[in-house]
Amino acid sequence: MSLVDRLKKAIGLSPFHDPLVADLQKALSPDRVLEDYEERLLHSKDESVFEGGLAGPVCFPLTTEEVQSIMKIAQRHDRDVIPRGAGSGLAGGAIPLGAPVVVALTKMNNIIEVDIENRIAWVEPGVINLELSDHLRPMGFHYAPDPSSQQICTIGGNVANNSGGPHCLADGVTDTHVLAIEVVLPDGEVTQFGGLDPEPDGLDLRGAFIGSEGTLGIATKIAVRLTANPEAVKTILISFPTMRAAAETVSAVIAGGIVPAAMEAMDQRTIEVIENHVPAGYPKDAGAVLLVEVEGLPDGIEIDAERICEIAEKHQAEDIRIAQNSWQRDALWKGRKSAFGASTYISPNYYLHDTVVPRSALADVLDQVNAIASENDLTIMNVFHAGDGNLHPLLLFDAEEEGTLERVHAVGAEIVRISLEAGGVLSGEHGIGIEKQQFMNDLFSDEDLNHQNRLRFAFDPLCRINPGKVLPQGHSCADIQTLQKPPEGVWV
Amino acid sequence: MASVIDHALEEFAAEVGPVGPIAIQGGKTRWDANGVPIPEARLLSAPTGIVTYKPEEMIVTARAGTTVEDLHTHLKEHGQRTGLPDRGGTIGGAIAVGENDLNVLGKGRVRDAVLQIRYISADGEIISSGAPVVKNVSGFNLHKLLVGSFGTLGLIAEVTLRTNPVPAETMWLTAAITDPIKIFDSLYKPAAILWDGRTIWVQLEGHKPDVEKQQETLSQIGNFEQVERGPELPQHRWSLPPADLYTISNYKTGRFVASIGVGTVWAEHPQPLRTPDRGKQIIEERLKQQFDPTNRLNPGRKIGNWN
Ligand SMILES: Cc1cc2nc3c(=O)[nH]c(=O)nc-3n(C[C@H](O)[C@H](O)[C@H](O)COP(=O)(O)OP(=O)(O)OC[C@H]3O[C@@H](n4cnc5c(N)ncnc54)[C@H](O)[C@@H]3O)c2cc1C
């Protein structure tokens, strides 16, 4: 044992001596099965605020066969497994509970084939979302779902979380754009869900897998649909005196039968933070702005853009800017895309929430959310996918300040309650993970959850993949005895 | 929280009860798809009627026995429609079968339209999955699994669907064309391109000037003329990767109409049975075991076109 390891052991941060590591290293290679403390610590977290994860050995497979081997070895050693992409998830989906083998798919990052005739691309799960679109764009296509984290998140993670993004309003979220998935099942068998044909035989296991947060198997190859680049795009920034006026415009646009390609909202504090730190030319005195984009053929988008502007004007729009070229368009989007990053200039920590409400309830719900935050003395930024009613209240805080995190969680619980009361749901894109398990009983009956558990069970009867997630305590795969306790034979 | 259960659903659940084989009949338009229910099965119909419709949310909730025609007639008053196929039958039937309409490129897939399903379980309970909002990652997607399940996992009782606007202009055009790829490549988001080997039918949708411009593009490629509707479709339905349509003569379809860019083929002869993937089949069997261990839901129907 090295001196560093001995020191770590002395202070309770001991190296990991896991009996299955030798088998894993033999199946992969020693440099792709890591068991040192730093590596495991790094892989015990995601981008959420949750602590308490405990990673087992971290494997970096390169092929489907290697993923199969990992599954089989884990099974032989009676150990759990957790798939992991970039770790950018915000609900704790990739946080390992009970020292499972971490299957990090980031090295399986090849775009295997772009098949223009079938309008699909086969990719490995570790391909970065933006890199896929950048690869496709010169060919006249792109991959439509564009999460704000697209520079870092993986297609595998997107599939697991059924991720969305600003441009999913008209085109649909991940589920609409994934046709087939090669999956390694918990017992190490490999199979394909879905197909390139429009109506594959049998049950839609593809549909059940997407959004299952890494609990049903490991995606090792994904066939995504190629979306044709639009012939014309119009990007409009509309400012309003209040967020209420902006939110009412969103409802009115949808009610008017227009589904723009994107319709994003930002509140006054967000505009201020953007303009102070990463200026994008947003009107600093506005109470809220909407960033609306319409795509399609040149004449049609003129008609839609005109109608959207008319509707906005009826709802107190103050200033309407239409990007005249791609440079101006990029500038308008730059503000939206930099908003989260900019928040770090004014606060060391953030907690990004994610609920969905009916679009007609947006204005009222936002009022309530803001009131709860200010009652609890928390700063809040609202920057969100308004077009589909997907709220993203961003709570800013300093974790060093005692008691703050408790207040953040309390406000989070209130945001969930307000959203459900308005007829909404727990999450629009981040998933349940460990963040919202305790609220699942508020959305579903016991019988509903029992049926969800049956689905989980049919894929993973032994609860080996990512246990302790999604379903609340009381359902079989949710019952991890103690989150920190390592399995038999493992010392930490 | 959102579980205010409709009285009609409770009555339906009571009718289903916890024992004995049950078959559900919709419009019987696809009655013999994937096998016919055994004669001993009690024949029931799902409740009917639109429960709530919020045009401003682009969402509608209806009981599964409502016909797609009634639904679409109602939605049309507000300039909306759904991805369900307009070919007769009920909402529940359309979802249980899961087949898309011929203009799927325009109106969207059935599976993308379904936001929430309430179904009656093999135990006679009302189960909800999904929610009446347009974006949702909250728990496992039982409702996705029910699309195309032929009523073998649960009996669809009530459905919430995403609606979309009926385009301002719709036009069918036809011409004698031997190269359908050229047509597909030259159009931006056509609603349908159907081809029988000699003739092509194109459905254009959208704002009037866009449709007219696309019509002009077409007229530069072939001698297109406007028609009332698309072609008569042969009886059997095939599902192929879209690129296979360009070499469709390799398949024994007989007379055919193929949906270019989609992969659906309506053919004179049925599609040969496909060999299932074993891993997938094991999960399907386990799902059946989990959701209907006594095989009382639509017994006699099997899932998929397998041998
Ligand atoms: C600043 C910021 C902005 C964000 N914006 C958005 C947004 O706009 N829209 C949005 O949807 N999300 C957003 N997210 C959340 C996050 O980026 C997405 O959920 C993303 O899809 C996660 O991808 P990942 O590769 O990081 O997955 P991870 O975080 O590593 O994993 C997420 C889940 O996927 C599972 N998983 C990963 N790979 C596989 C696989 N191959 N097979 C099976 N399961 C797998 C994991 O077990 C885990 O449960 C944002 C996050 C941040 C930090």
Side-chain angles (χ1 to χ4, degrees):
Chain A
M1 198 185 287
S2 72
L3 181 65
V4 175
D5 283 344
R6 258 185 284 165
L7 268 173
K8 277 181 190 157
K9 191 175 177 206
I11 55 168
L13 307 175
S14 64
F16 199 72
H17 285 269
D18 197 321
L20 90 168
V21 170
D23 284 355
L24 289 171
Q25 289 186 332
K26 204 153 77 194
L28 277 67
S29 70
D31 62 324
R32 289 189 286 108
V33 180
L34 306 178
E35 52 164 340
D36 56 287
Y37 170 75
E38 283 79 8
E39 214 48 60
R40 287 170 42 228
L41 186 67
L42 196 69
H43 289 88
S44 67
K45 294 182 175 138
D46 62 3
E47 281 294 320
S48 71
V49 295
F50 298 98
E51 301 287 341
L54 183 63
V58 183
C59 303
F60 293 89
L62 298 177
T63 61
T64 301
E65 291 71 28
E66 288 189 351
V67 175
Q68 288 184 275
S69 300
I70 297 170
M71 289 293 212
K72 287 181 180 158
I73 292 167
Q75 188 170 31
R76 223 170 35 238
H77 287 266
D78 196 18
R79 291 286 295 276
D80 298 335
V81 164
I82 182 171
R84 183 182 177 93
S88 73
L90 289 163
I95 294 182
L97 303 178
V101 176
V102 177
V103 186
L105 295 141
T106 42
K107 290 193 198 303
M108 286 179 71
N109 59 357
N110 294 304
I111 296 171
I112 303 164
E113 180 194 7
V114 177
D115 174 354
I116 301 278
E117 282 199 347
N118 277 312
R119 294 285 197 272
I120 61 110
W122 275 107
V123 303
E124 289 183 338
V127 168
I128 304 288
N129 176 298
L130 185 61
E131 286 174 11
L132 176 59
S133 271
D134 284 349
H135 184 81
L136 297 172
R137 232 172 264 279
M139 304 177 202
F141 299 94
H142 63 285
Y143 176 59
D146 57 344
S148 314
S149 53
Q150 70 176 152
Q151 286 176 346
I152 49 168
C153 67
T154 66
I155 301 293
N158 294 172
V159 166
N161 283 357
N162 196 12
S163 297
H167 287 88
C168 290
L169 178 55
D171 281 339
V173 294
T174 302
D175 182 37
T176 308
H177 301 275
V178 168
L179 297 182
I181 315 170
E182 179 189 86
V183 176
V184 174
L185 296 168
D187 60 4
E189 287 304 308
V190 61
T191 183
Q192 182 181 308
F193 298 156
L196 303 191
D197 60 314
E199 288 154 13
D201 285 336
L203 294 173
D204 185 15
L205 303 185
R206 179 209 60 89
F209 187 86
I210 296 171
S212 62
E213 304 192 42
T215 64
L216 302 184
I218 299 189
T220 46
K221 255 188 230 165
I222 300 152
V224 300
R225 184 196 295 282
L226 310 185
T227 300
N229 296 340
E231 287 197 14
V233 180
K234 228 175 173 65
T235 310
I236 313 165
L237 186 80
I238 312 172
S239 64
F240 296 89
T242 59
M243 180 50 99
R244 174 164 284 275
E248 282 170 357
T249 302
V250 171
S251 311
V253 167
I254 300 293
I258 309 169
V259 186
M263 188 149 55
E264 301 285 300
M266 284 159 270
D267 67 4
Q268 186 171 24
R269 183 164 292 112
T270 307
I271 300 167
E272 199 181 291
V273 171
I274 291 172
E275 287 308 308
N276 285 345
H277 300 283
V278 280
Y282 287 3
K284 255 182 147 174
D285 51 348
V289 292
L290 281 184
L291 183 60
V292 187
E293 194 153 88
V294 284
E295 290 181 352
L297 295 167
D299 293 327
I301 65 164
E302 287 297 334
I303 297 173
D304 284 343
E306 213 168 285
R307 283 183 54 204
I308 290 167
C309 293
E310 273 168 28
I311 292 170
E313 274 161 2
K314 280 195 197 129
H315 289 86
Q316 309 170 42
E318 286 172 335
D319 181 36
I320 299 182
R321 295 184 198 171
I322 301 180
Q324 300 302 324
N325 50 43
S326 66
W327 181 82
Q328 288 184 357
R329 177 184 175 225
D330 290 348
L332 291 182
W333 274 104
K334 183 184 154 211
R336 167 64 182 89
K337 288 183 177 174
S338 320
F340 290 125
S343 72
T344 57
Y345 287 100
I346 61 164
S347 169
N349 303 97
Y350 69 73
Y351 186 166
L352 179 58
H353 272 271
D354 165 45
T355 63
V356 182
V357 297
R359 295 174 269 215
S360 52
L362 270 176
D364 287 343
V365 168
L366 279 166
D367 278 351
Q368 291 181 59
V369 166
N370 289 336
I372 293 284
S374 87
E375 272 166 34
N376 285 275
D377 211 14
L378 284 176
T379 307
I380 191 168
M381 280 168 65
N382 282 294
V383 42
F384 60 102
H385 313 308
D388 32 35
N390 191 179
L391 294 182
H392 276 341
L394 185 66
L395 299 175
L396 304 176
F397 65 100
D398 182 353
E400 300 287 301
E401 257 176 51
E402 208 167 309
T404 316
L405 200 57
E406 286 72 30
R407 265 189 297 140
V408 168
H409 284 301
V411 169
E414 276 299 289
I415 291 174
V416 167
R417 187 188 58 76
I418 293 164
S419 303
L420 292 187
E421 249 175 37
V425 292
L426 300 173
S427 166
E429 47 185 33
H430 298 166
I432 301 300
I434 50 177
E435 182 195 13
K436 290 187 174 142
Q437 275 172 312
Q438 79 267 31
F439 303 115
M440 286 287 274
N441 288 307
D442 299 333
L443 184 62
F444 295 109
S445 71
D446 278 349
E447 291 78 26
D448 299 342
L449 292 173
N450 173 296
H451 271 229
Q452 293 193 22
N453 196 36
R454 293 183 198 202
L455 186 156
R456 165 96 169 82
F457 199 72
F459 284 76
D460 183 16
L462 300 174
C463 296
R464 274 195 191 286
I465 297 211
N466 209 357
K469 304 291 168 66
V470 186
L471 293 173
Q473 293 286 319
H475 293 274
S476 65
C477 293
D479 289 334
I480 291 252
Q481 293 310 318
T482 87
L483 300 189
Q484 297 271 13
K485 190 166 158 263
E488 284 298 299
V490 175
W491 58 279
V492 200
Chain B
M1 183 162 286
S3 301
V4 186
I5 298 289
D6 176 3
H7 191 56
L9 260 57
E10 280 171 350
E11 279 175 13
F12 183 46
E15 233 185 320
V16 171
V19 286
I22 299 271
I24 295 287
Q25 69 174 359
K28 282 205 162 180
T29 54
R30 305 279 291 147
W31 186 245
D32 51 6
N34 288 45
V36 180
I38 59 169
E40 305 84 77
R42 217 159 21 105
L43 208 54
L44 297 180
S45 295
T48 59
I50 291 170
V51 183
T52 48
Y53 174 35
K54 296 182 186 152
E56 73 285 3
E57 288 287 336
M58 290 196 180
I59 282 178
V60 62
T61 301
R63 299 185 192 107
T66 315
T67 65
V68 175
E69 192 182 351
D70 282 351
L71 173 75
H72 282 176
T73 307
H74 190 73
L75 298 188
K76 207 169 169 200
E77 287 169 23
H78 297 269
Q80 296 184 359
R81 63 180 179 182
T82 72
L84 301 193
D86 285 302
R87 57 148 193 239
T90 61
I91 296 174
I95 291 169
V97 174
E99 290 171 356
N100 298 316
D101 212 343
L102 55 83
N103 52 355
V104 59
L105 292 174
K107 74 203 284 201
R109 297 182 304 182
V110 172
R111 61 162 76 124
D112 294 330
V114 176
L115 301 175
Q116 181 181 47
I117 292 184
R118 291 204 162 115
Y119 61 92
I120 312 301
S121 72
D123 299 326
E125 287 165 337
I126 303 170
I127 307 291
S128 295
S129 173
V133 287
V134 291
K135 201 172 179 190
N136 184 7
V137 194
S138 310
F140 292 97
N141 291 325
L142 294 161
H143 55 295
K144 298 275 172 198
L145 205 53
L146 289 187
V147 178
S149 69
F150 286 88
T152 56
L153 300 179
L155 306 176
I156 300 169
E158 183 199 275
V159 183
T160 301
L161 300 164
R162 176 200 301 275
T163 67
N164 56 60
V166 176
E169 184 77 18
T170 299
M171 186 186 285
W172 276 102
L173 296 155
T174 186
I177 289 280
T178 49
D179 181 8
I181 312 178
K182 199 167 171 194
I183 301 293
F184 184 55
D185 286 346
S186 66
L187 296 173
Y188 180 76
K189 294 195 175 172
I193 301 183
L194 305 177
W195 180 66
D196 71 357
R198 290 181 302 273
T199 307
I200 204 159
W201 292 262
V202 178
Q203 191 185 33
L204 300 174
E205 285 187 344
H207 289 296
K208 199 161 189 277
D210 287 347
V211 169
E212 284 167 356
K213 206 159 267 172
Q214 302 243 65
Q215 184 184 9
E216 214 177 287
T217 307
L218 285 176
S219 68
Q220 282 157 18
I221 306 174
N223 204 1
F224 277 88
E225 62 178 69
Q226 216 172 313
V227 283
E228 271 297 298
R229 57 182 67 82
E232 286 299 314
L233 302 174
Q235 179 195 356
H236 297 286
R237 196 177 174 103
W238 292 43
S239 179
L240 297 172
D244 285 18
L245 303 187
Y246 305 140
T247 51
I248 193 155
S249 54
N250 296 344
Y251 294 99
K252 293 191 170 55
T253 55
R255 195 171 70 78
F256 73 90
V257 174
S259 177
I260 302 299
V262 177
T264 305
V265 182
W266 292 268
E268 193 180 346
H269 307 306
Q271 184 164 19
L273 297 178
R274 295 187 262 190
T275 315
D277 176 295
R278 190 60 201 140
K280 183 170 180 249
Q281 211 178 18
I282 289 172
I283 293 178
E284 291 184 330
E285 281 160 10
R286 283 200 214 127
L287 281 165
K288 181 69 178 170
Q289 187 60 31
Q290 284 294 323
F291 287 92
D292 182 22
T294 62
N295 189 24
R296 65 176 297 242
L297 305 179
N298 283 302
R301 288 205 194 285
K302 65 184 176 60
I303 312 161
N305 168 29
W306 296 346
N307 42 22

